[in-house]
Structure formats: structure tokens, C-alpha cells
Amino acid sequence: MAIAASQTRYRVEGMDCASCASKIDKAVRGVTGVEDVSVSVTAGTMTVKHGDGQDLGVVEDRVRRLGYKVSPLSASTPAAVGAKPAHDHKHDHDHGACSGHDHDHAGHDHGDHDHDDHAGHDHAGHDHSKHDHGAQGEAPTLAGLHGHDHAPSSGPWWRSSKGVLTIAAGIALVAAYGIGHLFPSIAVWSFEIAMLVGLIPIARRAFVAARYGMPFTIEMLMTIAAVGAVIIGAAEEGAAVVFLFLVGELLEGVAAGKARASIQSLASLVPKTALLEEEGRTKEVPAETLAVGAVILVRPGDRIPADGVIVSGESSIDEAPVTGESTPKRKETADTVFAGTVNGDGALRIRVTATAADNTIARVVKLVEEAQESKAPTERFIDRFSRYYTPGVVVVAALVAILPPLIGGASWNEWIYKGLAILLIGCPCALVISTPAAIAASLSAGARRGLLMKGGAVLETVGKITAAAFDKTGTLTEGKPKVTDIVPLGRQEAEVLRLAAALEAGSSHPLATAILAKAAEQNILTSVATNSKALGGKGVTGSIDGLALFLGSPKAAASETALSAEITARIEALNQEGKTVSVLLAGGTPAGLIAMRDEPREDAIAGLSALRAAGVRTLMLTGDNARTAQAIGGKLGLEVHAELLPQDKQRIVNELKAQGLTVAKIGDGINDAPALAAADIGIAMGGGTDVALETADAAVLHGRVSDVASMVTLSRRTMTNIHQNITMALGLKAVFLVTTIAGITGLWPAILADTGATVLVTLNALRLLRVKAG
């Protein structure tokens, strides 16, 4: 049985490098009662999992003693450790009779529908209030609009504590040079005092870390090198080294702030105020106070302040700031809209479906911040490596300082100086930051394009996939039927569509909706049939201007009137293409055929081609009938497995893995749960809030098939970036190790090698923020 535990998230200010995160992690882990710790430099957060009744004051005190400001963001209610989030989309969605997510259009009897039946997945009516997205159980007193306090990354660098310290150390160093020239007799003292300005805070952090079981920190190596420099009479270089170290730390902080701001800038897209409708009037209120169910007015050109459903009005919505989708989408009554998107040309009244702390953007920001706290396999390996690497460097530095004078009678000062330089070269900062910096930048870049990955481990694995198994309905296809063919039989095509639309007017059944949408697309004006009536299991009847009409399945139509062999053959040919066929009778004679099919998404062919070009095998796993599946699969050019139950999908995924393939399963995250869990990576695909963000390893927010290929590309670019970073970090150190022992370079170049490598690695990682995901 799982042990009950609580979880508390903190904002940590001043944590700008990987060694900072490592120190905090180890110090907090040493507190009795703490079960697990996750720290993210880029997000500036720490999550502590602890027992009930834990004294969190001890945790906070340890972090503060290490030199960082810490403030709680949220505390969770007790939950089972290792348990899945309680969020269950299955209970929140009524998919209806037509949904099943691999429904059989070809076998659908048009006569089965009732005009009052609202079968099908009702995206627009989706009520966010049912969701308990906050698996963390966020308290209502969260700082900031979305439960994120962005203060650590705000303000100019020179006002930060590190900025002030660096400036002070720089002024002290310049003053020491001036005093040294004017009064040579006290030059050494002036440089020692200048060095102490920067060294005292560094040394204090070093000794606090040592007290918590971390003797080999960058601060300790820095302190030893600076004190050693004074002992051998190199106080001037010692002061310069301390200053350069502080500059390096400051640059790391600025770089970390940029990566942090990249994802947090999403939250700033949401306007601070909203126009709330109350008793027929509108008033301006803070957006964060909007309750679920409130109705707001959004004027043309304004940003939408909350997730919601359009109650009245229609407009084009620019979703580019949130989804990266460049073309504005036309939306009307009952359509879903997201906070942060821009209203175009029409006024909208919107019913709020999620609070500010639970809207799509807030959830994405929180997901990415939590993802940045989880370590990738490469990062975990480097962390383990650095545990041995740093003590090893200390041993090598000691041997370099001691052995030549002892064995060869060389100068003690010269070789102690070289030993101190090696200490600085051996700082693991650049190596340790090489992976998390790249992964944090990549997770942020992906999130801004609607590609969500839950941590570094997922990001690494996505790039390794060799097989991608897609669900059909709602994943490869739009998830709703469209009219594909209108076959006139003795009447004009437009007349066939007009009469069929008149019969279906007012119905919300998916097949009826497809006919009405086709009529609207062709600008056909439709009247409403009189005496319309649904015949259970057969179709629908009615009349226009005294003309009796019937629209239903071929079987039902054949019972009303004889269908010629030519018509029957045409129906069969359309069925072979996986299409549902309805027959329109006018005055008791066949007037036309209307064929419908759930068509592939616009980018499906290009998206699948991109995956195959990347060396990924593509498959369709569907519960739909084989005829429909083969028709769609043939059009898309992928391997088809049809008429599968959920356990069959899981079995096929396991068989692919047994063949040595790394498998991604892409589906809606709901009825594909067993297969998503069995795959190496489960990717949920859907439209924004309807996607099961909390249950899959990764998610594609826009429902674009091509985004799966984009995710693979982003992952592979990230791993290339990480390898470049590791090569730069180790390469620079190797070069300066040789030049130091050869006597070509000394303390200054040594600290520049460490600081320079760290800055280069961080800047290289930040390039991923500018990478296009496609």
C-alpha cells in the first residue's frame, strides 16, 4: 500500500546554475521526513514531497542558509505516493453513441438518429469546472494571476543581489589597482581586501554546503584557489579570479532568466482585466476573479481573458500567441475559446469554463515547470559522473601541487599555482549545466508551439522512437464525418443537397451536421421540411411544397422503392471506400445519393511522410471496421490494423516493442489508455483542453499529425545540442589542463575556461528557444 504524502512547491530566488540546484537538492534531501526533492533552475522552483506534519521551516531554513530566497507556492492535499493523478477524463466526457472514438461510420444506419439526440463528442459543451486539473491541489492564495510568482526573473540584473555583489567586487578590484599604483607598499593588502569583498559570501556558501555533506562544491574550490593564491603571493590574481567567477555566475543567472521568461511569457498573454456581464450591464473586473459560469464580453481586437464557450456572436480568433497556428480560426456560438487568444472582427459573449489558475495557459506553464524539475537520463548520468569527477580533480590538483616539488625538487610556488589553476579548471559547472539548460530551453520552445513533454526523460525518448502507432478517429482523422460525394439521380446536385438539408435542419446528429455544413459551404439556402419525422432504424421523412421526401440508409430506401442495379453498384463502390451512404427519395423515386466519411486531417499525409523520412515506421491501430480503416490507411499510406479492442492495441504495441522498436502510441488519451501505458511514449492528441494532458507522457495541443514529427525533430535537435555542450565543456577543460601544466596559462585563463565554457554552453542551449518545431 502506498504511503500517504504531501507535496509543497517553492519559488527559489537566486538559483541560477546547476550546481545551485544540486546543493539545494542534497541539503533538503538530508532533512528528516523529506521523501523526494525536484529542483528546476530554469523554472526557479523546487517541489518537496514529505510526510504529513512535516516541519517545513527546517527545509526553508536550509535553503536560506545556502544563500537563496525561498517562498512557498502551493501545498498539496495528501495523496498516494506514486499514484496517478485523480483526474479522469472518462467521467467528464459524454462521447455518446457515435463516439467510441473508433466509431463505425460505414456501418452506421442513417435511420437510427433522432433529431433530439445529441450524440457525439460535444467539444463546445465541455465544462472545465468538472476537471480537477490541480493534481497538486493548489491553495487559493497562490501568488500571481495563474499561481506563478514571476518576481525572480523580473527587474534589471544590476538590481539583483548577485548583480550588486559583482559590481561591488569590480569596484573593489579597480580601487585596489589604483591604490597599488599610488602606494605600492600596500598593494598586496589592497588586493586581499578587494578579494574578500567577493570571497566572503562565496566562502560562507561553501562552508554551509560542506556542513550539509557537500564538501566539493564550486564555491569550496573557488575559496581554496583564492586563499591559496594569497598564500603564494598572488593576491592580485586571486582578486581577479573572484571577480571573474562572480561575472560568470551573473551571466548564468541572466541566461537562466531568459529561459525562464520564455515559458512564463505565455502567462503574460492573458489580460489583467475582463468585462463581466451582471444584470444586463458590464463592468471591468480583475481577470483572476472570474468564476466558472460567469459571462464576459470580449470586444473586437481584445485578448480573451479566460477559457470559455461562446454564448453569442461570431468572430475570427487569432490563436497564434498560444498555439503557433498562423491562420485565424472562425468561431461561433458553442465553440471553445482559450485565454490569451485575440478576438478578431466581432464582439463575443463568452461563458467562462475555467478559473485563471486552471486555464489552458496556466496548466501548460505549470506542466512545463514541473517537467523541467524532472531529470533526463543523460542529466542523471552527468550528475553521477560529476560526483566522482570533482573529487578526482581535487586529487589531481593536489598531486600536481605536491609531487613535482617533492620528487623533482621543483619550485613549490610554481606548482602550487598550477595546482590551484587545475582546481578552477575542474569546476563541473559547464558540464553539469550542459543537459538541463538544453532540455529546459527545448521544453519551453515546444510548449510555445503546443508540443508538451513531461520532462527530460520523455524529451530524450521521443527522439529515439522507431515506430509510431496512431489511433484513427480524432487522431489521424478530424473525428467527425464530412460529405465527400453527392451523386444526383435525375435531379441537380445542388437540389439533392438542398432537399437533404431541409430534412436535417435542426438536427445535431453528426451525419446531419455534415449535410448542413456542406449546404452552408456551397451557400445553398435551405427551408425547413414540414411534417418531419424520424423513423427509428430507417431514416427521416418530411415534405417540401407537397413533395414527399425520405433520407435514410440504402436498406431502408430499398424497402420504400426499388433501387436499380446501377444505383446498388454505386452504393457498394462508395461503401468499399469506407463511406456511409444515405439515399434521398423524392416523391417515392431515387433523387440522389449522399456519401460521408470521417476524412483525414489536412496535414495527415505530410505529417506521416515526415515521420517516415525520419526513419519511423507508421501504423494505424483502430477499433473501426476493416473496410473503413483500409480506405483511410490506403489514402495515408500506412500499415493498418483494424477491428481492435483496447487490449488488442496494447498487445500490438507490446509485439512491436518485442521486435526491438521504440514505440510511440498516439491517441486521444481516453479509450487508448492500455496502449498509451504500454508504449515507450504515450502522446495524447486533441484540441487544447480536451486533450488528456495529465495522463499521457506528451501531448499535441493543436491536433496536427505533423506535430508528432515536429516533436521528434525537436528532441533530436536537443540531443545534438546536448552532445555539443558536453564536447565544449570537456574540450575547453582538456585544452586548459594541458596549457596549465605546460606553464602557458595560469589562474585567470583557468577561471575563464570554466566561466567561458559555462556561458558558451548556456548560450548554445538557449539557441533551442529560437528553433522552429517543424
Side-chain angles (χ1 to χ4, degrees):
M1 185 176 172
I3 303 166
S6 293
Q7 202 163 270
T8 305
R9 291 188 83 219
Y10 291 93
R11 179 71 65 198
V12 183
E13 189 174 344
M15 178 177 63
D16 297 324
C17 65
S19 91
C20 304
S22 178
K23 285 197 293 287
I24 291 169
D25 184 297
K26 193 161 184 180
V28 173
R29 228 172 256 280
V31 176
T32 306
V34 169
E35 295 171 14
D36 196 18
V37 183
S38 299
V39 185
S40 168
V41 174
T42 312
T45 58
M46 170 179 72
T47 300
V48 181
K49 196 176 283 183
H50 52 81
D52 289 341
Q54 173 74 39
D55 181 5
L56 293 173
V58 179
V59 171
E60 293 167 18
D61 183 59
R62 285 205 170 189
V63 177
R64 289 191 186 102
R65 283 176 179 272
L66 286 168
Y68 307 99
K69 292 179 183 176
V70 60
S71 55
L73 274 178
S74 66
S76 78
T77 51
V81 175
K84 292 279 185 187
H87 184 94
D88 185 357
H89 278 260
K90 291 178 189 173
H91 300 300
D92 292 343
H93 296 303
D94 179 12
H95 293 295
C98 203
S99 156
H101 278 275
D102 266 322
H103 52 287
D104 179 0
H105 280 305
H108 186 95
D109 183 354
H110 198 104
D112 287 347
H113 76 269
D114 186 318
H115 285 153
D116 293 320
D117 175 26
H118 291 272
H121 191 148
D122 183 9
H123 287 276
H126 181 78
D127 185 356
H128 292 63
S129 64
K130 296 177 185 176
H131 290 56
D132 177 16
H133 289 302
Q136 305 290 334
E138 302 219 14
T141 54
L142 294 181
L145 182 60
H146 307 293
H148 297 281
D149 173 14
H150 305 310
S153 60
S154 64
W157 63 265
W158 59 84
R159 287 188 186 167
S160 67
S161 55
K162 283 191 177 179
V164 170
L165 180 61
T166 305
I167 291 168
I171 291 169
L173 184 60
V174 171
Y177 271 111
I179 292 168
H181 279 290
L182 293 172
F183 309 102
S185 59
I186 60 167
V188 173
W189 290 100
S190 63
F191 281 114
E192 287 175 0
I193 292 167
M195 183 186 74
L196 288 173
V197 170
L199 185 63
I200 288 173
I202 295 170
R204 193 182 71 77
R205 275 158 39 202
F207 287 113
V208 170
R211 183 180 156 201
Y212 293 142
M214 295 168 281
F216 297 111
T217 59
I218 174 68
E219 287 85 359
M220 185 62 80
L221 299 186
M222 193 66 239
T223 303
I224 294 169
V227 172
V230 170
I231 292 170
I232 62 171
E236 181 180 340
E237 288 193 61
V241 162
V242 168
F243 172 65
L244 289 171
F245 173 77
L246 291 172
V247 169
E249 276 204 325
L250 186 63
L251 288 173
E252 286 175 36
V254 171
K258 280 190 178 179
R260 189 176 300 145
S262 170
I263 185 60
Q264 290 179 347
S265 64
L266 278 176
S268 66
L269 293 173
V270 182
K272 302 293 183 192
T273 60
L275 292 173
L276 176 67
E277 283 193 3
E278 273 185 346
E279 300 172 358
R281 301 171 126 193
T282 59
K283 65 174 183 178
E284 192 169 61
V285 298
E288 61 186 339
T289 65
L290 291 174
V292 172
V295 175
I296 55 175
L297 173 67
V298 182
R299 297 167 300 196
D302 286 355
R303 283 190 187 274
I304 296 171
D307 284 4
V309 172
I310 297 174
V311 177
S312 65
E314 63 175 277
S315 181
S316 59
I317 307 293
D318 179 7
E319 297 186 338
V322 177
T323 68
E325 182 64 63
S326 57
T327 308
K329 286 188 178 177
R330 195 77 195 167
K331 300 212 173 186
E332 55 192 28
T333 302
D335 284 344
T336 304
V337 292
F338 306 116
T341 54
V342 182
N343 185 20
D345 48 18
L348 297 174
R349 291 175 65 245
I350 295 167
R351 178 171 56 83
V352 176
T353 54
T355 61
D358 197 31
N359 68 30
T360 305
I361 286 181
R363 288 169 54 215
V364 167
V365 171
K366 185 178 172 189
L367 270 169
V368 174
E369 288 192 345
E370 287 172 351
Q372 289 173 349
E373 288 178 3
S374 71
K375 291 189 175 182
T378 304
E379 186 178 353
R380 285 197 293 270
F381 169 76
I382 287 175
D383 280 351
R384 287 196 300 273
F385 174 73
S386 65
R387 276 185 220 139
Y388 300 101
Y389 169 81
T390 309
V393 165
V394 172
V395 170
V396 169
L399 293 175
V400 165
I402 294 167
L403 289 183
L406 275 181
I407 297 170
S411 162
W412 279 99
N413 270 16
E414 179 189 343
W415 285 94
I416 287 174
Y417 180 89
K418 289 180 179 179
L420 295 174
I422 288 169
L423 265 188
L424 297 179
I425 292 167
C427 292
C429 282
L431 187 61
V432 173
I433 197 70
S434 59
T435 302
I439 282 177
S442 189
L443 289 171
S444 296
R448 292 185 67 83
R449 293 163 179 83
L451 314 177
L452 297 186
M453 290 163 277
K454 290 189 175 177
V458 173
L459 179 58
E460 281 197 24
T461 309
V462 166
K464 297 174 183 173
I465 67 167
T466 49
F470 288 84
D471 181 25
K472 180 180 79 69
T473 307
T475 301
L476 288 171
T477 66
E478 295 284 357
K480 54 188 178 185
K482 287 184 178 178
V483 173
T484 56
D485 304 84
I486 299 172
V487 182
L489 302 171
R491 289 178 182 263
Q492 294 296 317
E493 182 177 311
E495 178 71 359
V496 172
L497 187 55
R498 185 182 73 83
L499 295 174
L503 278 174
E504 297 289 18
S507 173
S508 61
H509 189 281
L511 299 179
T513 304
I515 290 171
L516 293 168
K518 187 70 173 179
E521 180 188 309
Q522 296 191 3
N523 296 315
I524 292 174
L525 295 174
T526 59
S527 52
V528 179
T530 55
N531 303 318
S532 63
K533 181 182 175 185
L535 304 176
K538 294 183 178 180
V540 60
T541 63
S543 62
I544 290 183
D545 300 329
L547 179 66
L549 300 173
F550 170 85
L551 181 67
S553 66
K555 181 180 177 183
S559 68
E560 298 285 329
T561 187
L563 300 179
S564 69
E566 184 184 347
I567 292 174
T568 305
R570 191 65 191 269
I571 291 169
E572 180 59 28
L574 290 167
N575 282 337
Q576 286 298 329
E577 294 173 18
K579 296 171 182 175
T580 300
V581 180
S582 295
V583 180
L584 177 69
L585 304 180
T589 60
L593 308 177
I594 298 177
M596 288 164 274
R597 186 171 67 182
D598 181 13
E599 288 292 271
R601 292 179 183 272
E602 285 183 15
D603 72 327
I605 292 174
L608 293 169
S609 297
L611 279 171
R612 287 191 285 270
V616 178
R617 177 179 165 189
T618 57
L619 308 89
M620 177 199 291
L621 306 184
T622 179
D624 211 342
N625 68 78
R627 185 170 60 187
T628 302
Q630 289 292 349
I632 296 290
K635 188 173 180 180
L636 297 178
L638 80 172
E639 191 179 318
V640 175
H641 299 264
E643 299 178 4
L644 303 175
L645 295 171
Q647 57 265 36
D648 297 325
K649 295 180 183 181
Q650 183 183 29
R651 172 181 53 77
I652 291 170
V653 167
N654 285 326
E655 286 171 0
L656 292 169
K657 288 170 72 176
Q659 294 170 26
L661 297 170
T662 302
V663 183
K665 174 69 179 74
I666 302 97
D668 60 12
I670 300 162
N671 68 344
D672 286 316
L676 283 168
D680 295 290
I681 291 291
I683 301 175
M685 180 184 284
T689 52
D690 282 321
V691 74
L693 295 179
E694 288 82 359
T695 56
D697 299 308
V700 172
L701 286 188
H702 323 319
R704 288 194 295 247
V705 177
S706 57
D707 278 355
V708 178
S710 297
M711 202 178 269
V712 172
T713 301
L714 183 62
S715 169
R716 292 180 180 178
R717 283 176 175 165
T718 304
M719 294 312 296
T720 300
N721 189 283
I722 287 170
H723 295 146
Q724 290 169 349
N725 287 346
I726 292 170
T727 302
M728 273 194 287
L730 291 177
L732 269 174
K733 288 180 186 300
V735 168
F736 279 93
L737 183 65
V738 172
T739 57
T740 299
I741 292 173
I744 299 167
T745 56
L747 283 180
W748 290 34
I751 193 65
L752 284 173
D754 177 66
T755 300
T758 303
V759 171
L760 279 176
V761 159
T762 307
L763 290 176
N764 188 46
L766 288 177
R767 287 193 308 121
L768 288 166
L769 289 175
R770 299 192 297 273
V771 165
K772 294 285 183 190

